[in-house]
């Protein structure tokens, strides 16, 4: 990857439901991200009901070398604001084929099981993705919102390259998963990685004379070498601000302050 920083593309398609309100602006954000050296563009079959993947293809094909295009399947969208896990193997295969078509690629760089479906054996869900990888339709397999036991159960079926869980300076629910990924050298991809408000992050930002967002992201980058944040934004200005995180240097005392919250 060009950078450890990525871009979560959900916000580019009308909060995940339908096509973008301003298509030209959304295309600009994606192209600006690549120009700034972003290492991963993260989407899903359910973002915009497929419109998000189509937007990425429109903006970025031919895809620049070094930029990972990651997508997901395993969540259905029966209505606005509704997300329902759906992990039947035939559905995952169908959605993977549709993602290939919409992204206009022969193989997806990184394909996640978006959520584990409790009504389907995990081995069947992960096995469906392993079969797609064996066929050359996906390169790497990831999981989203899983604990350590689920991750290890999936790894008993096939290799897992990435875990995407909600994680930030003010939400440490998945600390154990991040520590496990660090030990096993598995990419950990925090979604919603910027706190809405965090006093410790704000204090450090004031000390450094920068905005809180890059401080929160810099803390994540310092947390472990396997961390690859994917902050989402529809604003080129916020995107540029987020991408400065790799140049923010936090002292041990500042990291400890954010750690304590």
């Amino acid at each position: 990857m060009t950078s450890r920083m990525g871009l979560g593309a959900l916000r580019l398609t009308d909060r995940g439901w339908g096509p973008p309100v301003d298509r030209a602006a959304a295309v600009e954000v994606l192209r600006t991200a690549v120009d700034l050296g972003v290492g991963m563009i993260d989407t899903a079959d359910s973002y915009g009901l497929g419109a998000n993947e189509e937007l990425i293809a429109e903006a970025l094909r031919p895809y620049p070398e070094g930029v990972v295009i990651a997508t997901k399947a395993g969540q259905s969208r029966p209505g606005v604001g509704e997300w329902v896990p759906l992990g039947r193997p035939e559905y995952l295969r169908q959605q993977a084929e549709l993602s290939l078509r919409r992204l206009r690629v022969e193989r997806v760089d990184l394909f996640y099981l978006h959520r584990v479906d409790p009504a389907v054996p995990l081995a069947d869900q992960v096995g469906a993705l392993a079969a797609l990888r064996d066929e050359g339709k996906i390169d790497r397999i990831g999981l989203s919102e899983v604990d350590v036991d689920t991750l290890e159960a999936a790894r008993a079926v096939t290799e897992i390259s990435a875990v995407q869980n909600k994680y930030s300076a003010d939400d440490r629910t998945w600390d154990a998963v991040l520590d496990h990924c660090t030990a096993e050298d598995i990419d950990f991809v925090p979604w919603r990685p910027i706190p809405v408000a965090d006093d410790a992050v704000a204090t450090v930002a004031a000390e450094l004379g920068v905005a809180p967002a890059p401080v929160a992201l810099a803390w994540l980058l310092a947390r472990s070498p396997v961390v690859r944040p994917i902050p989402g934004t529809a604003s080129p200005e916020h995107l540029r601000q987020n991408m400065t995180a790799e140049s923010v240097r936090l002292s041990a005392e500042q990291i400890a302050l954010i750690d304590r919250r």
Side-chain angles (χ1 to χ4, degrees), residues 177-248:
V177 178
L178 173 49
D179 291 341
H180 188 72
C181 286
T182 302
E184 298 296 322
D185 195 26
I186 297 169
D187 286 350
F188 185 87
V189 182
W191 63 274
R192 200 176 294 170
I194 300 174
V196 174
D198 185 279
D199 290 342
V201 169
T203 297
V204 172
E207 290 175 357
L208 297 176
V210 300
V215 169
L217 294 168
W219 175 81
L220 283 171
L221 294 171
R223 176 71 172 79
S224 167
V226 303
V227 168
R228 301 185 182 280
I230 49 166
T233 182
S235 162
E237 179 183 350
H238 289 161
L239 172 61
R240 292 186 181 94
Q241 183 183 85
N242 291 341
M243 288 297 291
T244 65
E246 288 184 303
S247 64
V248 173

Side-chain angles (χ1 to χ4, degrees), residues 5 16 18 44 83 87 99 119 124 145-146 148 153 174 184-185 192:
M5 290 291 299
W83 303 76
S99 290
D124 291 352
E145 290 298 285
V146 295
V148 172
W174 299 113
E184 298 296 322
D185 195 26
R192 200 176 294 170

Side-chain angles (χ1 to χ4, degrees), residues 121-203:
L122 177 65
D124 291 352
Q125 298 175 71
V126 177
L129 302 191
L132 288 163
R133 185 177 58 196
D134 291 344
E135 294 166 21
K137 294 181 177 179
I138 63 179
D139 186 22
R140 298 194 295 145
I141 297 172
L143 303 174
S144 183
E145 290 298 285
V146 295
D147 58 21
V148 172
D149 288 344
T150 303
L151 171 57
E152 285 306 297
R155 292 180 74 202
V157 177
T158 190
E159 181 182 358
I160 302 298
S161 298
V163 171
Q164 184 176 134
N165 283 8
K166 185 173 180 284
Y167 189 83
S168 63
D170 69 341
D171 186 347
R172 314 288 178 79
T173 302
W174 299 113
D175 264 335
V177 178
L178 173 49
D179 291 341
H180 188 72
C181 286
T182 302
E184 298 296 322
D185 195 26
I186 297 169
D187 286 350
F188 185 87
V189 182
W191 63 274
R192 200 176 294 170
I194 300 174
V196 174
D198 185 279
D199 290 342
V201 169
T203 297

Side-chain angles (χ1 to χ4, degrees), residues 9 40 47 66 90 120 135 161:
M40 180 189 297
Y47 295 173
E90 65 273 19
V120 179
E135 294 166 21
S161 298

Side-chain angles (χ1 to χ4, degrees), residues 23 49-59 102-104:
R23 195 170 197 88
L49 304 180
N52 204 278
E53 293 175 325
E54 292 172 345
L55 175 72
I56 289 169
E58 174 188 334
R102 288 188 292 251
L103 290 167
R104 290 186 267 166

